[in-house]
Amino acid sequence: MEKPNIDTSKPAIERGNMPLVGKLKFYFKNPIVDGYFSYVLAFGARGGADVGEAFFAASRIRQYDTESWVREFTSLAKRVAEQAEQAQAVGHYITARETFLRASYLNRAALMSLSPINEPDRYLEICERVRLHFNMAAALFDTPIEPVSIPFRNHILRGYFIKTDTSSEPRPTLINAGGGESFAEDMCLLFGIGDASRGYNHLTVDMPGQGSTLIEGMKMTPQAEEPLGAIVDYALSRNDVDPDRLAMFGPSFGGYAVPRAAVHDKRIKAIVVNSLILNLYDYLVQAKELLILARLERMPGFKLFTRLTGSWLAGLYNIMDIWKYKWGVSTMTEWLEACKEYVVDPSEITCPTLLLVGEDEYAYPNSQHFQHEALAKIQNPIKNLAIGRTDMGAGGKNMLPNLTAIRHTTFDWLDEVFAAKRDLA
Protein backbone atom coordinates (compact mmCIF):
# COMPACT_ATOMS: atom_id res chain seq x y z
CA MET A 1 0.00 0.00 0.00
CA GLU A 2 1.59 3.19 -1.14
CA LYS A 3 1.54 6.33 0.94
CA PRO A 4 0.71 9.64 -0.73
CA ASN A 5 3.30 12.29 -1.40
CA ILE A 6 2.69 14.70 1.47
CA ASP A 7 4.80 17.42 3.03
CA THR A 8 5.03 16.43 6.68
CA SER A 9 7.05 19.54 7.53
CA LYS A 10 3.85 21.63 7.50
CA PRO A 11 1.30 21.65 10.33
CA ALA A 12 -2.04 20.08 9.53
CA ILE A 13 -4.00 23.16 10.62
CA GLU A 14 -2.96 26.67 11.52
CA ARG A 15 -3.96 26.49 15.20
CA GLY A 16 -1.55 23.61 15.68
CA ASN A 17 -3.85 21.23 17.56
CA MET A 18 -4.66 17.68 16.56
CA PRO A 19 -7.55 17.85 14.08
CA LEU A 20 -10.83 16.12 14.83
CA VAL A 21 -11.47 15.39 11.16
CA GLY A 22 -8.78 17.31 9.31
CA LYS A 23 -9.10 20.31 7.06
CA LEU A 24 -12.67 19.73 5.88
CA LYS A 25 -15.46 21.99 7.09
CA PHE A 26 -19.06 20.80 7.13
CA TYR A 27 -21.48 23.24 8.77
CA PHE A 28 -20.26 24.96 11.93
CA LYS A 29 -17.53 27.54 12.42
CA ASN A 30 -16.80 26.04 15.85
CA PRO A 31 -14.26 23.27 15.07
CA ILE A 32 -15.34 21.05 17.96
CA VAL A 33 -19.00 21.11 16.98
CA ASP A 34 -18.19 20.76 13.30
CA GLY A 35 -15.94 17.78 13.99
CA TYR A 36 -18.67 15.93 15.84
CA PHE A 37 -21.24 16.86 13.22
CA SER A 38 -19.01 15.19 10.64
CA TYR A 39 -19.20 11.99 12.70
CA VAL A 40 -23.00 12.16 12.58
CA LEU A 41 -22.87 12.52 8.80
CA ALA A 42 -20.32 9.72 8.42
CA PHE A 43 -22.30 7.22 10.48
CA GLY A 44 -25.47 8.36 8.73
CA ALA A 45 -24.08 6.74 5.61
CA ARG A 46 -24.20 3.44 7.56
CA GLY A 47 -27.75 3.88 8.85
CA GLY A 48 -27.08 6.05 11.89
CA ALA A 49 -29.10 9.12 10.93
CA ASP A 50 -30.68 10.42 7.77
CA VAL A 51 -28.87 13.42 6.27
CA GLY A 52 -32.06 15.50 6.44
CA GLU A 53 -32.47 14.73 10.13
CA ALA A 54 -28.86 15.61 10.83
CA PHE A 55 -29.05 18.97 9.07
CA PHE A 56 -32.39 19.81 10.66
CA ALA A 57 -30.86 19.30 14.09
CA ALA A 58 -27.80 21.32 13.07
CA SER A 59 -29.97 24.21 11.91
CA ARG A 60 -31.37 24.53 15.43
CA ILE A 61 -28.08 24.17 17.30
CA ARG A 62 -26.23 27.24 18.57
CA GLN A 63 -22.64 26.26 18.00
CA TYR A 64 -21.29 27.69 21.27
CA ASP A 65 -24.20 26.32 23.33
CA THR A 66 -23.46 22.69 24.18
CA GLU A 67 -26.90 22.18 25.70
CA SER A 68 -28.58 23.00 22.38
CA TRP A 69 -26.72 20.08 20.78
CA VAL A 70 -27.96 17.64 23.44
CA ARG A 71 -31.50 19.02 23.34
CA GLU A 72 -31.89 18.84 19.57
CA PHE A 73 -30.47 15.35 19.13
CA THR A 74 -32.43 13.83 22.04
CA SER A 75 -35.64 15.49 20.82
CA LEU A 76 -35.05 14.16 17.34
CA ALA A 77 -34.24 10.70 18.71
CA LYS A 78 -37.55 10.69 20.59
CA ARG A 79 -39.54 11.53 17.45
CA VAL A 80 -37.71 8.87 15.44
CA ALA A 81 -38.25 6.23 18.17
CA GLU A 82 -41.98 6.99 18.13
CA GLN A 83 -42.02 6.38 14.37
CA ALA A 84 -40.22 3.07 14.90
CA GLU A 85 -42.77 1.96 17.49
CA GLN A 86 -45.63 2.85 15.18
CA ALA A 87 -44.07 0.89 12.30
CA GLN A 88 -43.49 -2.15 14.51
CA ALA A 89 -47.05 -2.05 15.85
CA VAL A 90 -48.53 -2.49 12.36
CA GLY A 91 -46.00 -5.07 11.19
CA HIS A 92 -43.64 -2.94 9.10
CA TYR A 93 -40.62 -4.64 10.61
CA ILE A 94 -37.94 -3.52 8.15
CA THR A 95 -38.99 0.10 8.61
CA ALA A 96 -39.07 -0.38 12.39
CA ARG A 97 -35.62 -1.98 12.39
CA GLU A 98 -33.98 0.81 10.41
CA THR A 99 -35.79 3.49 12.39
CA PHE A 100 -34.82 2.06 15.79
CA LEU A 101 -31.20 2.08 14.58
CA ARG A 102 -31.48 5.77 13.77
CA ALA A 103 -33.04 6.51 17.16
CA SER A 104 -30.18 4.68 18.88
CA TYR A 105 -27.50 6.60 17.03
CA LEU A 106 -29.21 9.99 17.46
CA ASN A 107 -29.19 9.45 21.23
CA ARG A 108 -25.56 8.40 21.02
CA ALA A 109 -24.81 11.61 19.07
CA ALA A 110 -26.35 13.66 21.86
CA LEU A 111 -23.75 12.31 24.29
CA MET A 112 -20.92 13.86 22.28
CA SER A 113 -21.68 17.21 23.88
CA LEU A 114 -22.88 16.24 27.35
CA SER A 115 -20.70 16.28 30.45
CA PRO A 116 -21.13 13.10 32.53
CA ILE A 117 -19.52 14.94 35.45
CA ASN A 118 -22.00 17.82 35.46
CA GLU A 119 -25.06 15.71 34.58
CA PRO A 120 -24.30 12.05 35.44
CA ASP A 121 -27.93 10.89 35.74
CA ARG A 122 -28.91 12.42 32.40
CA TYR A 123 -25.80 11.00 30.73
CA LEU A 124 -26.51 7.47 31.95
CA GLU A 125 -30.20 7.76 31.06
CA ILE A 126 -29.31 8.57 27.45
CA CYS A 127 -26.76 5.72 27.45
CA GLU A 128 -29.58 3.35 28.36
CA ARG A 129 -31.74 4.66 25.51
CA VAL A 130 -28.86 4.03 23.07
CA ARG A 131 -28.79 0.38 24.10
CA LEU A 132 -32.59 0.00 24.35
CA HIS A 133 -33.32 1.22 20.82
CA PHE A 134 -30.42 -0.72 19.34
CA ASN A 135 -31.64 -3.96 20.90
CA MET A 136 -35.13 -3.33 19.59
CA ALA A 137 -33.63 -3.05 16.11
CA ALA A 138 -31.33 -6.05 16.63
CA ALA A 139 -34.25 -8.40 17.25
CA LEU A 140 -35.81 -7.49 13.90
CA PHE A 141 -32.96 -8.61 11.62
CA ASP A 142 -33.49 -11.72 9.48
CA THR A 143 -30.38 -13.13 11.10
CA PRO A 144 -30.88 -11.56 14.53
CA ILE A 145 -27.98 -9.66 16.04
CA GLU A 146 -27.04 -11.57 19.18
CA PRO A 147 -26.59 -9.54 22.37
CA VAL A 148 -23.65 -11.01 24.30
CA SER A 149 -22.67 -10.75 27.95
CA ILE A 150 -19.09 -11.61 28.85
CA PRO A 151 -18.05 -11.98 32.52
CA PHE A 152 -15.05 -9.86 33.41
CA ARG A 153 -13.94 -9.76 37.03
CA ASN A 154 -17.03 -8.68 38.97
CA HIS A 155 -18.70 -7.09 35.97
CA ILE A 156 -20.33 -7.92 32.66
CA LEU A 157 -19.02 -6.67 29.30
CA ARG A 158 -21.94 -6.29 26.91
CA GLY A 159 -21.93 -6.20 23.16
CA TYR A 160 -23.12 -7.93 20.00
CA PHE A 161 -22.22 -10.86 17.75
CA ILE A 162 -23.29 -10.51 14.11
CA LYS A 163 -23.21 -13.65 11.99
CA THR A 164 -22.95 -13.83 8.21
CA ASP A 165 -25.88 -16.30 8.16
CA THR A 166 -27.62 -18.85 10.35
CA SER A 167 -25.16 -21.69 9.68
CA SER A 168 -22.64 -22.96 12.22
CA GLU A 169 -19.76 -23.02 9.73
CA PRO A 170 -16.55 -21.53 11.19
CA ARG A 171 -16.05 -18.08 9.67
CA PRO A 172 -13.32 -15.47 9.76
CA THR A 173 -14.23 -13.12 12.60
CA LEU A 174 -13.43 -9.45 13.19
CA ILE A 175 -13.47 -8.11 16.74
CA ASN A 176 -13.98 -4.34 16.82
CA ALA A 177 -12.45 -2.99 20.02
CA GLY A 178 -13.97 0.48 19.63
CA GLY A 179 -12.58 3.85 20.66
CA GLY A 180 -12.48 5.81 23.88
CA GLU A 181 -15.83 7.49 23.27
CA SER A 182 -17.45 4.73 21.24
CA PHE A 183 -20.40 2.50 22.04
CA ALA A 184 -20.68 -1.10 20.91
CA GLU A 185 -23.92 -0.04 19.25
CA ASP A 186 -22.35 2.51 16.91
CA MET A 187 -19.39 0.24 16.22
CA CYS A 188 -21.89 -2.29 14.79
CA LEU A 189 -22.63 0.32 12.14
CA LEU A 190 -18.95 0.63 11.27
CA PHE A 191 -18.48 -3.14 10.91
CA GLY A 192 -21.17 -5.78 11.03
CA ILE A 193 -24.57 -4.50 9.96
CA GLY A 194 -24.94 -4.88 6.20
CA ASP A 195 -21.69 -6.84 5.85
CA ALA A 196 -23.04 -10.36 5.28
CA SER A 197 -21.60 -10.50 1.77
CA ARG A 198 -18.11 -10.00 3.18
CA GLY A 199 -18.24 -13.41 4.86
CA TYR A 200 -17.01 -12.24 8.28
CA ASN A 201 -18.59 -12.62 11.68
CA HIS A 202 -18.35 -9.46 13.76
CA LEU A 203 -18.00 -9.11 17.51
CA THR A 204 -18.15 -5.74 19.22
CA VAL A 205 -18.12 -5.41 23.01
CA ASP A 206 -17.79 -2.39 25.28
CA MET A 207 -14.57 -2.61 27.28
CA PRO A 208 -14.24 -0.90 30.68
CA GLY A 209 -14.82 2.83 30.25
CA GLN A 210 -16.70 2.45 26.98
CA GLY A 211 -20.41 2.73 26.25
CA SER A 212 -22.72 0.97 28.66
CA THR A 213 -19.93 -0.03 31.07
CA LEU A 214 -20.22 3.47 32.53
CA ILE A 215 -23.62 2.49 33.89
CA GLU A 216 -21.85 -0.14 36.01
CA GLY A 217 -19.08 2.23 37.09
CA MET A 218 -16.24 0.61 35.12
CA LYS A 219 -13.25 2.80 34.26
CA MET A 220 -10.49 2.76 31.66
CA THR A 221 -7.48 0.53 32.28
CA PRO A 222 -3.99 0.54 30.74
CA GLN A 223 -4.11 -3.29 30.82
CA ALA A 224 -6.36 -3.43 27.76
CA GLU A 225 -5.20 -6.97 27.05
CA GLU A 226 -7.24 -8.20 30.03
CA PRO A 227 -10.78 -7.29 28.88
CA LEU A 228 -9.84 -7.99 25.27
CA GLY A 229 -8.54 -11.37 26.38
CA ALA A 230 -11.94 -12.14 27.89
CA ILE A 231 -13.57 -11.11 24.61
CA VAL A 232 -11.23 -13.42 22.66
CA ASP A 233 -12.08 -16.22 25.11
CA TYR A 234 -15.74 -15.75 24.25
CA ALA A 235 -15.13 -15.63 20.50
CA LEU A 236 -13.12 -18.85 20.55
CA SER A 237 -15.78 -20.62 22.63
CA ARG A 238 -18.09 -20.46 19.60
CA ASN A 239 -18.18 -23.17 16.94
CA ASP A 240 -18.88 -20.58 14.22
CA VAL A 241 -15.56 -18.74 14.75
CA ASP A 242 -12.48 -19.90 12.84
CA PRO A 243 -9.58 -19.59 15.33
CA ASP A 244 -7.05 -19.30 12.50
CA ARG A 245 -8.85 -16.27 11.06
CA LEU A 246 -9.50 -14.13 14.11
CA ALA A 247 -8.70 -10.45 13.54
CA MET A 248 -9.05 -7.34 15.65
CA PHE A 249 -9.76 -3.73 14.61
CA GLY A 250 -8.94 -0.78 16.85
CA PRO A 251 -10.08 2.81 16.09
CA SER A 252 -9.02 5.88 18.08
CA PHE A 253 -8.28 4.65 21.65
CA GLY A 254 -8.45 1.20 20.12
CA GLY A 255 -5.22 2.22 18.38
CA TYR A 256 -3.65 1.63 21.80
CA ALA A 257 -5.83 -1.22 23.07
CA VAL A 258 -5.54 -3.54 20.05
CA PRO A 259 -1.73 -3.53 19.65
CA ARG A 260 -1.48 -3.88 23.43
CA ALA A 261 -3.70 -6.98 23.21
CA ALA A 262 -1.69 -8.35 20.28
CA VAL A 263 1.50 -8.13 22.35
CA HIS A 264 0.01 -10.34 25.07
CA ASP A 265 -2.40 -12.61 23.17
CA LYS A 266 -1.09 -14.65 20.26
CA ARG A 267 -4.56 -16.04 19.53
CA ILE A 268 -5.16 -12.82 17.60
CA LYS A 269 -4.07 -13.64 14.05
CA ALA A 270 -4.13 -10.14 12.48
CA ILE A 271 -4.73 -6.57 13.63
CA VAL A 272 -5.86 -3.35 11.95
CA VAL A 273 -4.97 -0.23 13.94
CA ASN A 274 -6.54 3.17 13.22
CA SER A 275 -4.46 5.02 14.21
CA LEU A 276 -1.55 3.62 16.19
CA ILE A 277 -0.85 4.94 19.70
CA LEU A 278 2.34 3.61 21.27
CA ASN A 279 2.36 6.18 24.07
CA LEU A 280 -0.97 7.80 24.93
CA TYR A 281 0.54 10.79 26.74
CA ASP A 282 2.87 11.60 23.85
CA TYR A 283 -0.05 11.27 21.46
CA LEU A 284 -2.30 13.63 23.43
CA VAL A 285 0.22 16.40 24.05
CA GLN A 286 0.54 16.91 20.31
CA ALA A 287 -2.59 18.98 20.98
CA LYS A 288 -0.86 21.85 22.76
CA GLU A 289 -4.28 23.15 23.85
CA LEU A 290 -4.63 20.25 26.28
CA LEU A 291 -1.60 21.35 28.28
CA ILE A 292 -2.88 24.92 28.29
CA LEU A 293 -6.37 23.85 29.34
CA ALA A 294 -4.96 21.73 32.15
CA ARG A 295 -3.47 24.92 33.60
CA LEU A 296 -6.48 27.15 32.86
CA GLU A 297 -8.92 24.64 34.36
CA ARG A 298 -7.78 25.61 37.84
CA MET A 299 -8.52 29.31 37.28
CA PRO A 300 -11.81 30.37 38.96
CA GLY A 301 -14.50 31.32 36.46
CA PHE A 302 -12.57 30.35 33.34
CA LYS A 303 -15.11 27.75 32.16
CA LEU A 304 -17.95 30.22 32.64
CA PHE A 305 -15.98 32.85 30.73
CA THR A 306 -15.52 30.53 27.75
CA ARG A 307 -19.25 29.79 27.62
CA LEU A 308 -20.32 33.42 27.93
CA THR A 309 -17.88 34.62 25.29
CA GLY A 310 -18.74 31.90 22.78
CA SER A 311 -15.33 30.25 22.82
CA TRP A 312 -14.96 26.91 21.01
CA LEU A 313 -13.25 25.76 24.22
CA ALA A 314 -16.66 25.36 25.88
CA GLY A 315 -17.30 22.22 23.84
CA LEU A 316 -13.79 20.98 24.45
CA TYR A 317 -14.34 21.11 28.21
CA ASN A 318 -17.30 18.74 27.87
CA ILE A 319 -15.10 16.36 25.89
CA MET A 320 -12.49 16.53 28.61
CA ASP A 321 -15.17 15.85 31.24
CA ILE A 322 -16.08 12.67 29.36
CA TRP A 323 -12.48 11.50 29.48
CA LYS A 324 -11.97 12.43 33.13
CA TYR A 325 -15.17 10.54 33.98
CA LYS A 326 -14.00 7.46 32.09
CA TRP A 327 -10.62 7.53 33.85
CA GLY A 328 -12.07 8.28 37.29
CA VAL A 329 -9.98 11.42 37.86
CA SER A 330 -10.90 14.96 38.88
CA THR A 331 -8.68 17.20 36.78
CA MET A 332 -7.11 17.25 33.34
CA THR A 333 -3.69 17.33 34.96
CA GLU A 334 -4.49 14.02 36.72
CA TRP A 335 -5.87 12.61 33.47
CA LEU A 336 -2.76 13.44 31.47
CA GLU A 337 -0.58 12.00 34.21
CA ALA A 338 -2.62 8.77 34.21
CA CYS A 339 -2.20 8.50 30.45
CA LYS A 340 1.55 8.03 30.91
CA GLU A 341 0.82 4.41 31.91
CA TYR A 342 -0.59 3.61 28.47
CA VAL A 343 2.44 2.34 26.55
CA VAL A 344 2.94 -0.38 23.90
CA ASP A 345 6.18 -1.96 22.68
CA PRO A 346 5.67 -2.80 18.98
CA SER A 347 8.67 -5.14 18.94
CA GLU A 348 6.47 -7.69 20.75
CA ILE A 349 3.78 -7.75 18.04
CA THR A 350 4.13 -10.90 15.96
CA CYS A 351 0.93 -11.02 13.87
CA PRO A 352 0.26 -9.36 10.49
CA THR A 353 -0.51 -5.69 11.07
CA LEU A 354 -2.18 -2.95 9.03
CA LEU A 355 -1.69 0.63 10.21
CA LEU A 356 -4.28 3.20 9.12
CA VAL A 357 -3.85 6.94 9.63
CA GLY A 358 -5.33 10.09 8.13
CA GLU A 359 -3.01 12.29 6.08
CA ASP A 360 -3.48 15.31 8.34
CA GLU A 361 -2.90 13.29 11.50
CA TYR A 362 0.16 11.64 9.96
CA ALA A 363 1.69 15.11 9.57
CA TYR A 364 2.18 15.38 13.35
CA PRO A 365 5.65 14.27 14.49
CA ASN A 366 4.62 11.87 17.26
CA SER A 367 1.90 10.23 15.19
CA GLN A 368 4.27 9.77 12.31
CA HIS A 369 6.98 8.44 14.63
CA PHE A 370 4.59 5.79 16.00
CA GLN A 371 3.89 4.45 12.50
CA HIS A 372 7.57 4.33 11.52
CA GLU A 373 8.68 2.74 14.80
CA ALA A 374 6.06 0.03 14.47
CA LEU A 375 6.96 -0.74 10.86
CA ALA A 376 10.60 -1.11 11.90
CA LYS A 377 9.94 -3.29 14.98
CA ILE A 378 6.88 -5.50 14.37
CA GLN A 379 8.05 -9.11 14.18
CA ASN A 380 6.07 -10.15 11.12
CA PRO A 381 6.88 -9.60 7.44
CA ILE A 382 3.27 -8.57 6.75
CA LYS A 383 3.10 -5.00 8.06
CA ASN A 384 1.52 -2.28 5.98
CA LEU A 385 0.77 1.42 6.29
CA ALA A 386 -2.22 3.01 4.54
CA ILE A 387 -2.59 6.79 4.77
CA GLY A 388 -6.05 8.27 4.18
CA ARG A 389 -6.05 11.03 1.59
CA THR A 390 -7.43 14.47 2.35
CA ASP A 391 -8.67 14.86 -1.23
CA MET A 392 -10.83 11.76 -0.65
CA GLY A 393 -12.24 13.03 2.66
CA ALA A 394 -10.16 10.52 4.63
CA GLY A 395 -7.37 12.77 5.86
CA GLY A 396 -8.64 13.51 9.37
CA LYS A 397 -8.10 11.74 12.68
CA ASN A 398 -8.57 7.98 12.13
CA MET A 399 -9.25 8.59 8.41
CA LEU A 400 -12.55 10.24 9.29
CA PRO A 401 -15.06 11.02 8.08
CA ASN A 402 -14.66 8.54 5.19
CA LEU A 403 -15.92 5.30 6.73
CA THR A 404 -15.97 3.66 3.29
CA ALA A 405 -12.21 4.07 2.94
CA ILE A 406 -11.68 2.56 6.40
CA ARG A 407 -13.93 -0.40 5.70
CA HIS A 408 -12.73 -1.22 2.19
CA THR A 409 -9.07 -0.97 3.15
CA THR A 410 -9.61 -3.18 6.20
CA PHE A 411 -11.62 -5.88 4.47
CA ASP A 412 -9.41 -6.05 1.37
CA TRP A 413 -6.26 -6.38 3.47
CA LEU A 414 -7.77 -9.05 5.72
CA ASP A 415 -8.98 -11.00 2.68
CA GLU A 416 -5.42 -11.06 1.35
CA VAL A 417 -3.86 -11.99 4.69
CA PHE A 418 -6.28 -14.83 5.39
CA ALA A 419 -6.11 -16.10 1.79
CA ALA A 420 -2.34 -16.27 2.13
CA LYS A 421 -2.69 -18.20 5.41
CA ARG A 422 -4.91 -20.76 3.70
CA ASP A 423 -2.51 -21.13 0.77
CA LEU A 424 0.37 -21.78 3.18
CA ALA A 425 -1.71 -24.32 5.10
Side-chain angles (χ1 to χ4, degrees), residues 53-130:
E53 295 167 343
F55 274 98
F56 175 78
S59 72
R60 296 171 59 84
I61 291 170
R62 296 189 298 275
Q63 63 181 345
Y64 298 110
D65 177 6
T66 55
E67 169 57 26
S68 68
W69 174 283
V70 181
R71 181 183 64 246
E72 294 304 324
F73 276 107
T74 52
S75 296
L76 180 55
K78 181 180 180 181
R79 296 194 297 273
V80 172
E82 289 170 352
Q83 291 179 346
E85 291 166 359
Q86 292 167 7
Q88 185 177 29
V90 295
H92 295 310
Y93 298 121
I94 296 175
T95 297
R97 178 181 73 201
E98 295 178 356
T99 310
F100 276 128
L101 281 179
R102 287 174 20 235
S104 176
Y105 187 80
L106 289 166
N107 276 311
R108 186 266 174 274
L111 295 172
M112 295 176 183
S113 193
L114 181 64
S115 167
I117 292 176
N118 294 336
E119 299 184 75
D121 292 341
R122 187 184 184 197
Y123 190 92
L124 296 180
E125 177 189 346
I126 298 173
C127 283
E128 291 177 329
R129 290 206 297 269
V130 171

Side-chain angles (χ1 to χ4, degrees), residues 348-365:
E348 298 182 42
I349 297 173
T350 58
C351 64
T353 301
L354 173 62
L355 306 176
L356 305 180
V357 63
E359 185 175 6
D360 299 335
E361 185 176 6
Y362 181 74
Y364 283 82

